[in-house]
Amino acid sequence: AKMWHIFAVSSLSVSGSARAMGRSPALADRRSIGSLHVPSLGAAGRSPALTDRSAIGSLDVPSLGIGTIAWLGKTDADKARIAAVAARARVRGLDFFDTAERYGATPLSLIPAALAGLGLPVDKSYLGGDCESNLASWGRGAMVATKFTPIPTRRHASDVVDAARSSRERLGVDSIDLYQLHMPDVIQPLRAFGVVDLKDEIYWDGLAECYHLGLVKNVGVSNYGASMLERAQEHLARRGVPLASNQIAFNLLCQRDGSLKALRKGEELGVKTLAYYPLAMGLLTGKLVPSNLRRAVLERKISPQRAADLCRYLEGGSGGTAGHVAPGGIRPLLAVLTDVAASRSKTPAQVALNWILCKGALPIAGASSVTQIEENVDALGWRLTADEVCLLDVAAEALPFNFKGCGFQTTDSKFVGYGFERWTLH
């Protein structure tokens, strides 16, 4: 991966007047963040993220969130780079970060949880990553959404409450802005033997208790299809709790398999759809080149499985997570995307993100550099015309395949060490 400038960032300085007025600190006029000097934004440089806003439950957030799954911070240099990215995001008004208790962990760490579900005497202590703890400093003052992981050993509503308390402590906040279930209760280690123990309603009760205890300000779900979303919304409503959001894989290449139906159901119920993989793991940026991906494998910058899947989407082919991709891959769509971007003086990525906004969803876009933060910001403050959306829709619908993810990261399943556990957006 390309190395970007690294800034040393210590503590984050937030305008006290902004807090006193109840505004997001990202809306404040900032001049310094730790040792990093940040010029205040005058009228000419005002970020569109300050005015292009959306509602998620009680939250007033920019219409584009920042995903933190890649904010691993394994080295001091990585931590300094990510701190600078987070600081720039906040200065530019992108003050809504999405994380999870598992971000930073490995898929293999779910094996003990699954084995404990079989009754085996294994360690079933905290199995998450360290992203939440890092966001206690990187995201201080921003709005942060995090997620609860359904696993076999979490069998009671109190387990959701306990996990929320732990996430709150790691994040260093009094109340979590948005607390989401990471997926339906699909981790069922005894499924092959005909034993399935679904606990989704128990988890919904847990969300309700978190809300009424004041541990969380809003609750959401992830990877729910239309029917399950409606069930969850009705269940929570009976407990006096509004369902704020549903986070699903959604982009120009990922509209089938129930995604659009879930989006429309969310609009009907007043539940905001958050879109992860909004750029289809970089495919919709127009920057990925098969020869470069194959070279990156040799340089050990990307896994062979991920590179192979990305190349299948770009060129066509069969196998891996991608499955069967028609010859020519996504090139016809990329051609239209590039033309629309050129006519708008935007990048293909900005157009792809704006298309999601036009569909009524809020993209959760990753950012590993200050440059990417700036590109994300400029996806806001404007909208594609109906004709431009139609052009992109026609090009996307003409592709006889759907984006399913790459390698071990998929749109319809979670790799849990012993295999993939899948959900459907029904």
Side-chain angles (χ1 to χ4, degrees):
K2 185 178 289 186
M3 292 298 295
W4 303 94
H5 295 295
I6 295 173
F7 299 91
V9 179
S10 56
S11 60
L12 302 181
S13 174
V14 181
S15 169
S17 60
R19 288 189 182 280
M21 296 175 64
R23 293 183 293 143
S24 163
L27 307 185
D29 178 24
R30 301 187 195 168
R31 292 172 176 78
S32 65
I33 296 181
S35 60
L36 175 65
H37 177 74
V38 181
S40 61
L41 300 176
R46 186 172 176 80
S47 169
L50 302 179
T51 53
D52 193 340
R53 313 284 290 185
S54 296
I56 302 176
S58 66
L59 302 178
D60 171 41
V61 302
S63 295
L64 183 148
I66 298 297
T68 65
I69 192 170
W71 288 10
L72 302 181
K74 293 181 179 180
T75 67
D76 288 342
D78 283 339
K79 291 177 181 179
R81 172 179 56 80
I82 296 168
V85 172
R88 188 59 181 171
R90 291 174 53 200
V91 167
R92 296 290 277 154
L94 294 180
D95 60 342
F96 177 53
F97 298 159
D98 179 73
T99 190
E101 63 175 350
R102 279 196 43 74
Y103 284 3
T106 65
L108 294 177
S109 65
L110 275 177
I111 292 179
L115 293 177
L118 296 174
L120 298 179
V122 297
D123 179 18
K124 56 181 181 181
S125 59
Y126 174 60
L127 48 81
D130 58 1
C131 193
E132 285 182 328
S133 299
N134 288 330
L135 280 174
S137 58
W138 296 338
R140 187 177 297 125
M143 290 168 283
V144 177
T146 192
K147 307 180 192 74
F148 166 91
T149 304
I151 55 175
T153 54
R154 290 173 162 174
R155 308 189 55 80
H156 307 284
S158 60
D159 291 323
V160 183
V161 174
D162 290 343
R165 284 197 173 103
S166 295
S167 286
R168 184 184 64 166
E169 291 172 4
R170 287 188 294 271
L171 289 167
V173 297
D174 293 329
S175 183
I176 297 170
D177 294 303
L178 175 63
Y179 196 52
Q180 309 156 94
L181 300 182
H182 208 147
M183 56 191 168
D185 187 24
V186 296
I187 302 179
Q188 301 290 332
L190 293 176
R191 190 191 304 271
F193 302 97
V195 178
V196 176
D197 179 24
L198 296 179
K199 302 177 291 297
D200 297 290
E201 292 190 3
I202 292 173
Y203 295 146
W204 300 339
D205 284 334
L207 288 180
E209 291 187 20
C210 290
Y211 181 85
H212 288 305
L213 288 170
L215 297 173
V216 305
K217 299 174 184 175
N218 298 274
V219 301
V221 293
S222 305
N223 299 304
Y224 276 29
S227 61
M228 195 163 186
L229 183 64
E230 189 165 31
R231 282 179 55 209
Q233 192 267 350
E234 291 174 352
H235 188 99
L236 288 165
R238 288 194 292 270
R239 298 287 305 271
V241 179
L243 180 59
S245 64
N246 179 29
Q247 188 167 160
I248 60 174
F250 183 66
N251 58 58
L252 270 166
L253 291 169
C254 189
Q255 305 181 56
R256 303 181 177 105
D257 299 331
S259 297
L260 276 174
K261 189 176 180 181
L263 172 62
R264 295 188 184 110
K265 177 58 70 172
E267 291 175 339
E268 175 189 326
L269 299 174
V271 177
K272 188 67 175 180
T273 297
L274 312 183
Y276 69 87
Y277 295 151
L279 298 176
M281 296 185 179
L283 290 166
L284 295 174
T285 66
K287 298 176 182 179
L288 297 183
V289 179
S291 59
N292 292 344
L293 289 168
R294 294 184 177 106
R295 186 180 307 113
V297 171
L298 297 176
E299 297 171 352
R300 298 185 177 181
K301 294 180 179 179
I302 187 174
S303 73
Q305 296 89 345
R306 185 184 181 96
D309 276 323
L310 289 171
C311 287
R312 288 185 189 100
Y313 289 119
L314 292 167
E315 301 174 318
S318 297
T321 299
H324 179 71
V325 178
I330 66 171
R331 289 175 185 172
L333 172 60
L334 284 180
V336 176
L337 184 62
T338 301
D339 286 346
V340 173
S343 70
R344 281 279 186 167
S345 298
K346 297 291 183 180
T347 67
Q350 289 165 346
V351 170
L353 292 170
N354 200 272
W355 176 88
I356 292 174
L357 296 174
C358 291
K359 293 295 181 179
L362 187 150
I364 303 295
S368 60
S369 69
V370 171
T371 300
Q372 289 175 345
I373 288 294
E374 294 301 325
E375 186 170 13
N376 289 344
V377 166
D378 288 335
L380 300 177
W382 57 282
R383 292 295 184 270
L384 294 164
T385 66
D387 287 343
E388 290 169 330
V389 171
C390 185
L391 280 173
L392 293 166
D393 284 344
V394 169
E397 290 168 4
L399 298 177
F401 56 88
N402 204 42
F403 174 74
K404 299 177 181 178
C406 297
F408 293 107
Q409 293 179 294
T410 68
T411 61
D412 64 353
S413 63
K414 182 69 66 176
F415 182 68
V416 293
Y418 60 81
F420 286 91
E421 292 281 17
R422 300 187 180 279
W423 56 78
T424 58
L425 297 184
H426 57 75

